[in-house]
Amino acid sequence: MKTDLPQSFRRLEYIPPVYTFDRVELDIALDPARTIIKSRIEVMPGKGFKSGAPLVLVGQELEFVSLRINGEAHRQFELTPETLTILALPNEGKEKFIVEIICVCIPEKNTSLMGLYVSNGNFFTQCEAEGFRKITYFLDRPDVMAKYQVTLRAREVECPVLLSNGNLLRTEKLPNGWHSATWEDPFPKPSYLFALVAGKLECIEETITSISGAKKLLQIWVEPHDLPKTQHAMDSLIASIYWDEKRFGLELDLERFMIVAVSDFNMGAMENKGLNIFNTKFVLAQPETATDADFANIESVVAHEYFHNWTGNRVTCQDWFQLSLKEGLTVFRDQEFSADQMGSESGRAVKRIEDVRLLRQLQFPEDAGPMAHPIRPNEYQEINNFYTVTVYEKGSEVVRMYQTLLGRDGFRKGMDLYFKRHDGQAVTCDDFLAAMADANGKDLSQFQNWYSQAGTPRVKVEERYDAEKKQFHLTLTQSCAPSPGQAEKNAFHIPLKMRLLTPTNDQPEILLELTQRTQSWTFDGISQRPVLSINRDFSAPIQLDFQQSEADLLTLFSGDDDPFNRWEAGQKLAMQMILNHRLPDEQLIGAYRNLLLDPDLDPAFKELALTLPAETYLYEQCSSVDPQAIFTARRAFRRELAKQLQLEWAALYQQMQTPGPFKPDAVSAGKRALKNLSLSMLLEADVAIWAPMALNQYRVADNMTDRYAALSALVIHGAKLANECLTDFFSRFVNDALVIDKWFALQSGRPPVDGQETTLNNVKRLREHAAFKMNNPNRVRSVIHAFCSNNPASFHQPDGSGYEFWADSVLALDPINPQVAARLARALDRWRLFAQPYQNQMKAALERVLASQTLSPDVREVVGKALEN
């Protein structure tokens, strides 16, 4: 086992760059086996300048060719596998000088998909966080911002399309069948926002008029056979542009804006200035091949990356510790956009619930585990490991709290001041907080604790009603458990929306600001004992320690006017009963029945209300997890719901049909969601009786939402015809990679079914399938991640076989793509939460991975921290 301690980077050790760049000119001759990069960089003293200091550039997997300073060959330098240190600078570096470097990289061998790489014969880049150093030697850090001019050269027959950031200056025919395109980005940017794309691509395009009256060209580039699947992404882009103008007064600042889709991509998408590069999963959609969830995700991700044009690009991060400055803020913006696109207040509530459910299923466990970190981390070893749900989703909740505290207009004032102060700069989370505070004249100094402290705060609720005095007394006490490196926590500034529900509904919603360890409030003139509805709309990302009676929870579930808390009450009732191995009682069944039959409730809300808490969320409520016991209890609870409400499910299945052409709008999607939940519940009640109806839906469906839902119901409930339908599904869509990802994921995510072979055996066969590729992140996620991270009941087997498979997969994937391997490694980081024998077997699997002599820093950090903390 390696004993070398990994290098750690600490936020408080930030040092401004000794040198900075004013202008960068790149000339890139593209060849899969040998791409030649010529860079011309105008270098100036930076904020951290020291006379005579060398210029230290970083580079990885590069072949150095030559170096020139101010036009003359320069031989005073030191070269290592990761640095180029230039010595004896002109005039000791005090004045601007020109550095010219020629180097070579090999895109076709770059399986990490960071830097410049080849996918299906086309060239793509991914430079965030530290990929640019795989293209040329550079100051690859976000606080070095420069203007770029880029000339791309390639064989025209192989790469007829040549794209880069900004505006197209010119194209040129070159000898020997080559051609070139020169692009210029008029705005300074850090290297992580650089992008190039070259290959055989086609686009759809539209021209729109911006708020200032300027014409803007929008293009979406894809491989030719995917062109028919791009209109929804284009519609989403246009809607995003107009929404940002209306909501925040922010206009598209380039002559054109481009999106490019590629199937080999580590993440969802990347906001490179004017040239967003996307995973095909978040661009391509048509009714026959994409589900309602796919359509919604495309709308959200297109918006997210476009919104980065201002929150991330025009104003960027001083260093990577400030990642949530752009990501948390931009997630909040895309959530608000998607909520507005729902078209109604009930639709906004559905979107809010979906966002909170994701946060609690993924981020709360992270906050309680060995990789816990504040939204602004204080230390990291490998920055790729900190593109986390904490930075993104919890970061978004922190931004949302600003809006809760300051109001929508106050938040806009803060945003306006932020851009006025910092446009074109690389700044910090503190700068954003200062803009919000100064624009509104509000003291937010204590709010800084959300940035510096890890963990999910717990708020204990104590209530007392004094009937004689007609007073309601409320006491709130906050705490936060220790997390790695933080044994003690200071009090948070927690905004809590609350309302007292009374028979006369005469109490308004108010906002409490919990800033002390313990605070109390007294409410006068309360004629009857009220039911407390607190943390309405999930106004703060906390856990409530509130021993509310089942009667009060039933009251909230039956009629709280806050949709989130109504949903939340149902989740709490189900969770308590499942963890106590109780089946739903007559009162709860009645409440579910009334909710399903309520004509005034949005179908999408009904579907969410009847979807039980996820197994992984239930784990977080236990001190020692027995995954098989939780799976069995949850399945029994669900089956009882299915049987007791069988008539209602059957009626809803018919009532929620959506005749006519497929439309991905929120109302239609909500009806399909409730219809397909009803179908699944009917098979849960009696698979033999209702499987033929699912089979019929599978065969006659004219859209992927309904076809895939029917197939899922058949597979998950072990219907006899499931395998036949799986075979048919594969043959229908064998040429559509994203649909085949669904085919893989469904089988890998199948929970245990009595009398059928284990899912693990099937997953092992899927890994050997001709269509599986270990170097394609989407395929890895659809098979290995779907099993290890999204199928807890099949993964957590008492014999430890799932953990052995996990270890094999991490070790096989790590040499190919460390970033994707590190995300898979997170599947076992909560091993201490589990009962025996699971715990010891997980630990053994972790130790086996850590013992590898060739482990990447990405995986070593995750596994090392899991075993250490």
Side-chain angles (χ1 to χ4, degrees):
M1 184 185 302
K2 286 187 176 181
T3 57
D4 297 345
L5 291 175
Q7 181 182 6
S8 288
F9 301 89
R10 296 175 178 85
R11 181 175 63 86
L12 296 180
E13 296 176 357
Y14 169 79
I15 299 174
V18 177
Y19 294 96
T20 190
F21 298 162
D22 184 43
R23 181 176 173 84
V24 176
E25 295 179 11
L26 299 173
D27 186 304
I28 302 176
L30 294 162
D31 183 281
R34 189 173 176 81
T35 289
I36 300 173
I37 303 99
K38 301 177 182 178
S39 62
R40 181 183 184 277
I41 307 168
E42 296 181 6
V43 185
M44 303 183 301
K47 292 181 179 179
F49 176 71
K50 296 178 181 178
S51 181
L55 172 61
V56 182
L57 307 178
V58 291
Q60 289 180 359
E61 300 171 21
L62 298 174
E63 175 190 332
F64 174 80
V65 177
S66 68
L67 168 67
R68 297 172 71 87
I69 304 285
N70 289 339
E72 297 183 0
H74 192 82
R75 293 180 176 82
Q76 296 188 57
F77 63 86
E78 297 174 355
L79 188 65
T80 74
E82 295 198 348
T83 60
L84 170 61
T85 301
I86 305 175
L87 307 169
L89 298 174
N91 196 23
E92 297 186 310
K94 296 175 183 177
E95 298 176 356
K96 180 184 290 188
F97 58 95
I98 308 298
V99 172
E100 296 175 271
I101 300 170
I102 299 177
C103 63
V104 176
C105 67
I106 307 175
E108 67 181 8
K109 291 187 177 180
N110 184 5
T111 63
S112 71
L113 309 184
M114 293 293 292
L116 177 63
Y117 64 95
V118 174
S119 172
N120 199 23
N122 300 319
F123 292 88
F124 300 91
T125 56
Q126 171 57 32
C127 294
E128 188 178 0
E130 297 176 338
F132 193 78
R133 63 191 63 189
K134 291 190 173 187
I135 297 174
T136 189
Y137 294 95
F138 209 75
L139 284 177
D140 190 12
R141 47 188 288 172
D143 55 354
V144 175
M145 302 175 70
K147 294 183 178 180
Y148 284 68
Q149 181 173 297
V150 179
T151 297
L152 303 177
R153 307 175 190 274
R155 299 176 187 88
E156 188 167 11
V157 67
E158 297 172 2
C159 295
V161 174
L162 300 172
L163 308 176
S164 192
N165 310 85
N167 301 318
L168 179 63
L169 293 184
R170 59 185 175 272
T171 60
E172 186 178 358
K173 298 286 186 180
L174 303 174
N176 302 317
W178 283 60
H179 72 139
S180 71
T182 299
W183 296 80
E184 185 173 58
D185 188 346
F187 297 99
K189 66 172 180 285
S191 56
Y192 82 87
L193 292 172
F194 169 81
L196 74 81
V197 172
K200 296 177 180 177
L201 303 169
E202 293 183 5
C203 75
I204 63 166
E205 60 182 37
E206 294 196 25
T207 300
I208 64 169
T209 303
S210 70
I211 194 171
S212 68
K215 299 294 184 182
K216 307 290 184 179
L217 176 63
L218 311 179
Q219 296 177 319
I220 297 182
W221 294 88
V222 295
E223 293 186 30
H225 62 272
D226 287 327
L227 209 57
K229 303 176 184 177
T230 54
Q231 189 58 51
H232 180 67
M234 177 63 81
D235 294 342
S236 300
L237 175 58
I238 293 171
S240 304
I241 292 171
Y242 288 147
W243 183 88
D244 216 17
E245 289 180 344
K246 182 179 179 181
R247 178 73 184 269
F248 291 108
L250 300 174
E251 183 178 4
L252 174 58
D253 54 4
L254 292 168
E255 296 171 3
R256 71 171 72 196
F257 189 90
M258 299 172 284
I259 289 174
V260 182
V262 56
S263 60
D264 293 307
F265 203 70
N266 286 340
M267 297 181 286
M270 178 58 207
E271 71 267 19
N272 317 294
K273 183 69 178 180
L275 180 59
N276 289 184
I277 300 178
F278 274 62
N279 191 314
T280 50
K281 180 180 177 67
F282 297 108
V283 172
L284 306 179
Q286 56 187 12
E288 297 78 17
T289 58
T291 64
D292 286 319
D294 294 326
F295 278 94
N297 287 337
I298 288 169
E299 180 181 78
S300 174
V301 175
V302 166
H304 181 95
E305 304 309 330
Y306 173 73
F307 296 153
H308 266 312
N309 189 56
W310 282 90
T311 50
N313 297 3
R314 287 286 288 260
V315 184
T316 195
C317 303
Q318 171 189 275
D319 53 60
W320 291 120
F321 296 101
Q322 317 297 330
L323 183 59
S324 197
L325 174 76
K326 72 183 185 78
E327 294 301 348
L329 176 55
T330 305
V331 169
F332 168 75
R333 278 156 49 72
D334 82 54
Q335 289 176 349
E336 286 288 279
F337 164 77
S338 295
D340 284 347
Q341 297 303 107
M342 299 292 282
S344 67
E345 283 305 309
S346 60
R348 286 187 63 88
V350 167
K351 172 62 177 162
R352 184 70 183 127
I353 292 167
E354 291 173 344
D355 293 338
V356 174
R357 189 168 61 174
L358 175 69
L359 180 85
R360 296 207 296 202
Q361 289 176 201
L362 299 179
Q363 196 279 321
F364 279 19
E366 184 169 271
D367 246 352
M371 290 291 287
H373 55 278
I375 65 168
R376 180 180 58 189
N378 293 315
E379 181 178 347
Y380 65 79
Q381 295 170 18
E382 183 56 55
I383 185 56
N384 290 326
N385 287 335
F386 283 84
Y387 283 76
T388 61
V389 284
T390 296
V391 165
Y392 282 68
E393 273 68 31
K394 185 176 181 179
S396 170
E397 294 299 321
V398 170
V399 173
R400 186 176 296 275
M401 285 191 288
Y402 283 113
Q403 182 167 274
T404 300
L405 288 166
L406 305 174
R408 187 172 170 131
D409 291 342
F411 184 80
R412 171 64 190 270
K413 286 167 60 180
M415 289 285 282
D416 289 346
L417 182 58
Y418 176 63
F419 293 122
K420 181 179 179 180
R421 285 178 173 177
H422 301 299
D423 188 12
Q425 298 178 14
V427 300
T428 69
C429 295
D430 292 333
D431 293 317
F432 183 78
L433 185 147
M436 286 288 160
D438 293 348
N440 291 277
K442 187 174 178 67
D443 181 4
L444 292 173
S445 55
Q446 188 179 354
F447 197 79
Q448 290 177 330
N449 291 335
W450 286 103
Y451 288 96
S452 59
Q453 296 183 158
T456 305
R458 298 188 71 90
V459 175
K460 183 178 181 180
V461 181
E462 296 175 281
E463 57 178 349
R464 181 173 61 85
Y465 177 64
D466 188 328
E468 184 176 330
K469 294 182 179 179
K470 297 183 180 180
Q471 289 181 332
F472 179 81
H473 300 276
L474 175 65
T475 298
L476 303 178
T477 302
Q478 62 166 295
S479 61
C480 191
S483 54
Q486 292 184 329
E488 299 291 333
K489 307 292 176 67
N490 295 319
F492 291 87
H493 185 167
I494 303 176
L496 291 168
K497 293 180 182 178
M498 63 150 287
R499 185 182 179 202
L500 299 178
L501 303 186
T502 65
T504 56
N505 285 327
D506 57 346
Q507 298 300 310
E509 179 180 274
I510 63 173
L511 179 66
L512 305 179
E513 296 188 38
L514 176 61
T515 58
Q516 302 171 25
R517 294 286 184 187
T518 300
Q519 283 175 251
S520 298
W521 292 263
T522 297
F523 301 88
D524 295 311
I526 310 298
S527 58
Q528 295 184 44
R529 179 189 172 276
V531 175
L532 175 61
S533 174
I534 191 166
N535 204 25
R536 291 159 68 85
D537 198 40
F538 200 69
S539 56
I542 62 167
Q543 297 203 60
L544 282 175
D545 183 1
F546 188 10
Q547 303 305 312
Q548 216 161 6
S549 69
E550 288 190 2
D552 282 359
L553 288 172
L554 277 169
T555 297
L556 295 169
F557 186 47
S558 299
D560 196 332
D561 65 317
D562 180 70
F564 175 82
N565 268 12
R566 184 172 185 180
W567 170 82
E568 171 82 317
Q571 295 290 293
K572 286 182 177 178
L573 284 164
M575 181 178 67
Q576 291 173 8
M577 291 185 177
I578 292 169
L579 293 178
N580 287 307
H581 299 276
R582 292 169 52 197
L583 296 178
D585 58 24
E586 186 176 334
Q587 284 185 304
L588 183 55
I589 291 291
Y592 280 129
R593 179 178 287 112
N594 291 337
L595 184 142
L596 286 175
L597 298 177
D598 189 335
D600 297 325
L601 286 178
D602 192 309
F605 178 81
K606 294 181 181 182
E607 189 268 341
L608 286 172
L610 270 295
T611 299
L612 300 180
E615 289 166 66
T616 50
Y617 183 63
L618 294 172
Y619 292 176
E620 298 304 312
Q621 319 309 315
C622 304
S623 58
S624 180
V625 175
D626 182 337
Q628 295 304 315
I630 287 178
F631 169 74
T632 301
R634 184 180 182 277
R635 193 66 182 263
F637 188 97
R638 189 175 193 268
R639 185 157 293 162
E640 187 69 12
L641 272 185
K643 290 180 176 179
Q644 292 291 336
L645 298 173
Q646 197 165 175
L647 292 177
E648 286 76 14
W649 295 124
L652 282 169
Y653 181 78
Q654 299 302 327
Q655 294 165 11
M656 293 296 115
Q657 300 293 326
T658 51
F662 175 89
K663 294 186 293 184
D665 63 277
V667 173
S668 301
K671 288 182 177 180
R672 281 188 290 270
L674 184 55
K675 176 190 70 178
N676 288 321
L677 174 64
S678 299
L679 179 64
S680 179
M681 294 298 272
L682 288 169
L683 268 72
E684 184 79 81
D686 195 321
V687 65
I689 291 177
W690 297 105
M693 190 164 74
L695 178 63
N696 181 66
Q697 176 172 310
Y698 172 82
R699 289 173 173 168
V700 305
D702 65 351
N703 64 82
M704 180 55 69
T705 301
D706 286 344
R707 191 185 304 279
Y708 190 70
L711 180 62
S712 298
L714 292 167
V715 170
I716 288 171
H717 297 99
K720 293 180 179 179
L721 293 172
N723 288 335
E724 179 182 322
C725 291
L726 282 168
T727 301
D728 175 78
F729 190 87
F730 185 87
S731 64
R732 282 176 186 257
F733 301 106
V734 64
N735 294 318
D736 192 307
L738 293 177
V739 180
I740 298 305
D741 285 339
K742 298 180 190 298
W743 181 82
F744 276 114
L746 175 57
Q747 296 173 82
S748 297
R750 190 203 73 182
V753 179
D754 292 341
Q756 298 195 12
E757 72 166 336
T758 66
T759 301
L760 176 57
N761 286 341
N762 195 31
V763 170
K764 288 179 178 178
R765 281 200 298 272
L766 292 174
R767 253 192 65 169
E768 302 304 317
H769 195 282
F772 178 80
K773 297 178 180 179
M774 189 68 94
N775 62 358
N776 178 264
N778 284 357
R779 206 47 47 99
V780 170
R781 285 187 281 262
S782 69
V783 176
I784 301 173
H785 285 252
F787 175 74
C788 296
S789 301
N790 302 331
N791 187 358
S794 294
F795 178 56
H796 294 293
Q797 290 296 316
D799 63 2
S801 54
Y803 313 141
E804 284 297 307
F805 174 80
W806 167 87
D808 292 341
S809 300
V810 170
L811 292 171
L813 184 60
D814 191 38
I816 300 170
N817 192 322
Q819 192 175 142
V820 176
R823 292 189 180 275
L824 177 62
R826 297 290 300 273
L828 290 194
D829 67 5
R830 298 298 313 283
W831 64 277
R832 296 177 193 273
L833 185 63
F834 289 77
Q836 298 292 10
Y838 306 98
Q839 188 179 113
N840 283 346
Q841 289 163 341
M842 286 192 226
K843 183 180 180 183
L846 285 161
E847 289 173 338
R848 179 185 154 208
V849 170
L850 191 61
S852 170
Q853 295 297 309
T854 58
L855 211 58
S856 71
D858 308 59
V859 173
R860 184 170 297 279
E861 178 178 22
V862 172
V863 176
K865 285 185 174 180
L867 287 168
E868 172 188 329
N869 292 300

